[in-house]
Amino acid sequence: MNRKTLVVSMLLSTAMLAASSTAFSDDDEGGFFSRWFGERKHEVGVAPVENPQYLEECGGCHFPYQPGLLPARSWTKMMGGLEEHFGENAELPLDDARAIEEYLVKNAADNSSYKRSRKIMKYMRPGETPLRISETAYFIKEHDELSRRMVEENPQVESFSRCGSCHTQAMKGSFEEHEINIPGFGQWEDD
Ligand code: HEC
Ligand code: HEC
C-alpha cells in the first residue's frame, strides 16, 4: 500500500465509523451522512406549494398545507369527503376536485424525498390514514413541549392547525427551529 492509498483508506474507515454511529439515530439533524452526502440543502423542509389552483381552493379558509405533510391515502380519503370537511362544507366542482387530488397524491409525503415528509412517514404506522397533520405521531412528538397557554388559550393562535402563526417560513415549506415565533411568547428557544 503506498502512502496515498493508506491515507485514503484511513479517511474512509473514519468516515464509515462516524456514519455508522449516526446513520440510525432517531433524529438525523446533524447526521454525518445527511450533512456530507445525503440531503440537498433545499430538501430540508417540505416541498413548497406552487399550484395556483390548490392555493386558491384549499388556502382560502386556512393555511395551504403542503401535500408533503400527509401520505397519499390521507389526501384521497379527504378529497372523497369534502362535503363534510371538519364541520364545514368544502365541496368543489368535480373537475377541480380531481385536479387537486392528483396534485396532492403526486406530491404526498410518501412520494417525496424532502426531510420532513420522510420523517412524517417514518413515525406513521403502516396503513394509518390520518386526516389531520396535527394528529400524526411526528407532529405530536415535535410539539409536546408547548403549553395550552401558547396554543389553544392563545387568542393569536387558537389551534395547532394554524402552522403559519408560529412558523414564520411555513409558506416556503420551512419549519426550522430558529424561524419559530409564537405570538405573545416570542422566538422559540429550545435548550
Ligand atoms: C370552507 C372552509 C374550508 C375549505 C374551503 C377547506 N378547508 Fe380544510 N379545514 C377547514 C376547517 C374548519 C378545518 C379544521 C381547522 C381547525 O381544527 O382549526 C380544516 C382542516 C384541514 C386539515 C387538517 C389540519 C390539521 O389540523 O392538521 C387539512 C389537511 C385540510 N383542512 C385540507 C384542506 C384541503 C386539501 C382543502 C381543499 C380541497 C381544504 N382543506 C379546504 C375548512 C376548510
Ligand atoms: C403554537 C405554535 C405552533 C404551531 C401552531 C405549529 N407549530 Fe410546529 N413547532 C412549534 C415549535 C415551538 C416547535 C419546536 C419544538 C422543538 O423542537 O423544540 C415546532 C416544531 C415543528 C417541526 C419540527 C421542526 C424541527 O426543527 O425539528 C415541524 C416539522 C413543525 N413544527 C410543523 C408544523 C406544522 C406543519 C404545523 C401546522 C399543522 C405546525 N407546526 C404548527 C410551534 C408551532
Side-chain angles (χ1 to χ4, degrees), residues 3-149:
R3 206 182 145 85
K4 199 166 158 200
T5 41
L6 180 70
V7 170
V8 168
S9 80
M10 270 165 61
L11 277 173
L12 266 177
S13 49
T14 320
M16 275 152 70
L17 207 76
S20 63
S21 62
T22 52
F24 300 104
S25 67
D26 175 58
D27 234 45
D28 62 358
E29 223 72 62
F32 183 88
F33 260 125
S34 51
R35 221 165 345 124
W36 294 99
F37 306 111
E39 249 141 45
R40 274 162 285 167
K41 191 106 185 97
H42 62 282
E43 291 202 346
V44 293
V46 292
V49 173
E50 276 155 4
N51 179 323
Q53 187 184 24
Y54 179 76
L55 284 177
E56 188 175 326
E57 303 295 353
C58 302
C61 295
H62 50 61
F63 176 79
Y65 308 107
Q66 286 89 0
L69 291 167
L70 285 175
R73 56 184 184 268
S74 294
W75 293 123
T76 303
K77 187 172 172 189
M78 185 177 301
M79 294 306 289
L82 284 182
E83 66 288 351
E84 257 186 70
H85 178 79
F86 303 94
E88 307 249 354
N89 185 344
E91 232 178 337
L92 288 170
L94 203 57
D95 282 358
D96 294 334
R98 277 217 189 101
I100 288 174
E101 182 175 338
E102 199 179 294
Y103 163 71
L104 286 166
V105 166
K106 194 170 161 220
N107 296 280
D110 42 352
N111 292 327
S112 172
S113 58
Y114 279 67
K115 174 175 172 177
R116 302 290 172 203
S117 297
R118 285 191 278 116
K119 291 215 166 171
I120 287 167
M121 291 317 297
K122 180 178 159 190
Y123 285 89
M124 194 170 295
R125 278 178 283 117
E128 184 190 351
T129 310
L131 291 182
R132 281 185 184 271
I133 299 139
S134 54
E135 285 174 358
T136 61
Y138 175 64
F139 184 97
I140 292 167
K141 163 181 115 70
E142 289 294 339
H143 296 85
D144 66 353
E145 285 176 39
L146 281 92
S147 65
R148 289 190 61 84
R149 282 202 312 130

Side-chain angles (χ1 to χ4, degrees), residues 27 29 45-46 63 65-66 69 115-116 119-120 132-135 138-139 141-147 150-152 154 157-167 170 174-178 180-183 188-191:
D27 234 45
E29 223 72 62
V46 292
F63 176 79
Y65 308 107
Q66 286 89 0
L69 291 167
K115 174 175 172 177
R116 302 290 172 203
K119 291 215 166 171
I120 287 167
R132 281 185 184 271
I133 299 139
S134 54
E135 285 174 358
Y138 175 64
F139 184 97
K141 163 181 115 70
E142 289 294 339
H143 296 85
D144 66 353
E145 285 176 39
L146 281 92
S147 65
M150 292 173 176
V151 191
E152 293 87 344
N154 185 344
V157 182
E158 288 178 348
S159 161
F160 267 127
S161 307
R162 309 229 170 115
C163 318
S165 26
C166 303
H167 294 279
S174 182
F175 298 89
E176 298 301 295
E177 268 187 61
H178 65 272
I180 301 171
N181 192 319
I182 305 180
W188 180 257
E189 278 171 49
D190 197 15
D191 42 31

